[in-house]
Amino acid sequence: MSSLVDPNLNADIYRKMTAADRPPVPDKNLQFILVYNEKSAILGGSNMTDHYWSGTVWYYKDTADFHRDKAFVATKTKSGVCSAAYLECDKFVISEDSGVLQVIGLVEAAESHLKELQCLGYACQHDNSLLTLSVFSDNAHLVTGGMDYCIKVWDIAELLATYSFGFAHTDIVTCVDAQPGSNTTFVSTSLDCEALLWDIRQAKPAQSILKKELGLTSVNWNTILDHIVAIGSEGGDVSLIDIRNVGAAALQESCIFPRSVHKLLFNPNPERSEELACCCDDTIVEVLDINKEFSSVYKNEGHTDFVRGLAWYKDELISCSWDNTVVKHAIHSCDDQ
């Protein structure tokens, strides 16, 4: 007796179907989470199991519950989403696998007078996936990097690249992060094993601040001590760098994870700026104390797939994962340990 089994979504039967005819596939691979305030948060996910990768961004007006059914409104993207950053409470920018940079806003629809997410502008000037972005303090410019080895600085209002550094690195640009309070300075990391400190005011804008034997995958500025950056690598180690002493050895360096570091995020609370949240290509979420030689303040392995997104909000750490879940972590102060 034969049984009917649905074919894999990459099978030939689906390839010639139109988008309307194809069965719906949930975008369960959550990529990022951002919290602006208690009444504004966004969550981004991609569909990585279908022949056509697409994405969704969910907008929340309440941070109590991040279940997708609780979202205030959502919008689909034509390719997978990689990264995002807020510009205003109801306005943000996202990067996509297709190389598209898109500005999205919460606006009132003309006909229905209901709030919806609309594209306010987009540009595609990267030749491959746009993996990472960071907004400068003026909220008028941002920096992007991707799989085309290129770094671009953008005027957000015009969506034009005012600076374009072709082959800024000799391999994939994995992360960029703008210096807090600056409109010209940022750090980039790459699989070419090097981290660069950039100042676009200079004739030679880039200088090396870290070289390792393995690719570098993540960077984040300390929001209070703006001369301190944390850098993660493919080997699972985290380095603490003082950018005032270019060429000097790392302040601290330790192998934290068994796999490649994916994201690093300092606690923005001035009273707890020593806390560094980390995740890797694993199910682990960990918070380190940079004042105590990267001692572990908190560790959780509750996710069942790779953790991709991290966000701090009121000393609570929020993580999202490819397992389609969002988890809130209560982090006790380092002084309470």
Side-chain angles (χ1 to χ4, degrees):
M1 183 177 179
S2 62
S3 61
L4 295 176
V5 179
D6 290 335
N8 184 285
L9 292 177
N10 292 319
D12 288 339
I13 188 174
Y14 289 120
R15 297 193 180 192
K16 294 183 180 180
M17 286 185 178
T18 65
D21 294 332
R22 296 174 62 80
V25 178
D27 297 335
K28 70 182 187 66
N29 301 107
L30 301 180
Q31 292 283 86
F32 61 78
I33 185 166
L34 299 174
V35 180
Y36 188 86
N37 56 33
E38 64 182 7
K39 294 184 178 181
S40 179
I42 56 174
L43 179 68
S46 297
N47 159 29
M48 298 182 179
T49 59
D50 198 0
H51 182 65
Y52 299 99
W53 285 16
S54 59
T56 303
V57 178
W58 296 269
Y59 181 93
Y60 294 84
K61 280 200 166 183
D62 186 349
T63 59
D65 188 348
F66 284 99
H67 192 279
R68 259 52 81 223
D69 292 341
K70 301 294 184 180
F72 177 70
V73 68
T75 185
K76 297 285 289 186
T77 60
K78 293 182 178 180
S79 58
V81 293
C82 300
S83 184
Y86 268 102
L87 300 174
E88 302 170 7
C89 179
D90 292 340
K91 184 179 179 181
F92 51 91
V93 59
I94 64 170
S95 66
E96 300 185 32
D97 286 328
S98 61
V100 166
L101 179 70
Q102 184 175 177
V103 178
I104 297 176
L106 183 68
V107 300
E108 184 177 292
E111 297 181 358
S112 64
H113 300 292
L114 298 175
K115 293 284 188 177
E116 65 180 20
L117 292 176
Q118 289 186 2
C119 174
L120 304 181
Y122 70 94
C124 188
Q125 296 186 26
H126 280 273
D127 294 330
N128 209 323
S129 296
L130 205 173
L131 300 179
T132 176
L133 61 84
S134 182
V135 177
F136 289 105
S137 63
D138 61 5
N139 275 2
H141 297 84
L142 61 82
V143 56
T144 60
M147 292 183 69
D148 57 359
Y149 308 177
C150 182
I151 289 175
K152 295 180 183 290
V153 176
W154 299 76
D155 180 310
I156 298 175
E158 301 294 333
L159 275 181
L160 292 175
T162 55
Y163 295 88
S164 185
F165 302 103
F167 291 93
H169 286 272
T170 58
D171 207 328
I172 293 170
V173 179
T174 53
C175 191
V176 293
D177 194 34
Q179 183 180 32
S182 172
N183 296 325
T184 61
T185 306
F186 62 93
V187 170
S188 63
T189 57
S190 168
L191 295 185
D192 66 6
C193 310
E194 191 167 20
L196 300 178
L197 173 65
W198 296 79
D199 187 339
I200 57 177
R201 297 170 298 182
Q202 305 301 320
K204 294 183 178 180
Q207 56 181 321
S208 177
I209 58 172
L210 182 66
K211 288 185 179 180
K212 296 182 72 74
E213 295 182 355
L214 293 172
L216 302 180
T217 55
S218 181
V219 63
N220 188 239
W221 290 87
N222 189 296
T223 53
I224 306 304
L225 303 173
D226 63 3
H227 58 280
I228 299 295
V229 296
I231 299 173
S233 83
E234 286 186 307
D237 51 291
V238 178
S239 303
L240 203 65
I241 304 295
D242 187 338
I243 64 167
R244 299 173 300 182
N245 301 315
V246 174
L251 298 177
Q252 295 182 51
E253 194 169 75
S254 180
C255 187
I256 305 299
F257 295 116
R259 296 181 179 178
S260 175
V261 176
H262 179 73
K263 188 173 180 62
L264 301 170
L265 190 64
F266 279 105
N267 191 333
N269 184 340
E271 297 179 357
R272 298 175 64 171
S273 62
E274 72 280 359
E275 295 177 351
L276 177 64
C278 321
C279 65
C280 67
D281 291 346
D282 207 325
T283 62
I284 303 169
V285 174
E286 190 160 8
V287 179
L288 310 174
D289 185 347
I290 66 170
N291 290 340
K292 297 180 179 179
E293 300 181 343
F294 287 147
S295 63
S296 181
V297 175
Y298 174 86
K299 187 174 183 178
N300 181 280
E301 299 182 48
H303 286 289
T304 59
D305 207 334
F306 287 1
V307 181
R308 302 288 88 177
L310 297 173
W312 287 101
Y313 182 62
K314 292 185 176 179
D315 297 328
E316 186 175 61
L317 181 65
I318 307 172
S319 62
C320 67
S321 164
W322 281 353
D323 65 8
N324 197 29
T325 64
V326 176
V327 176
K328 295 182 177 181
H329 310 266
I331 312 298
H332 299 291
S333 170
C334 296
D335 297 333
D336 298 334
Q337 303 298 309

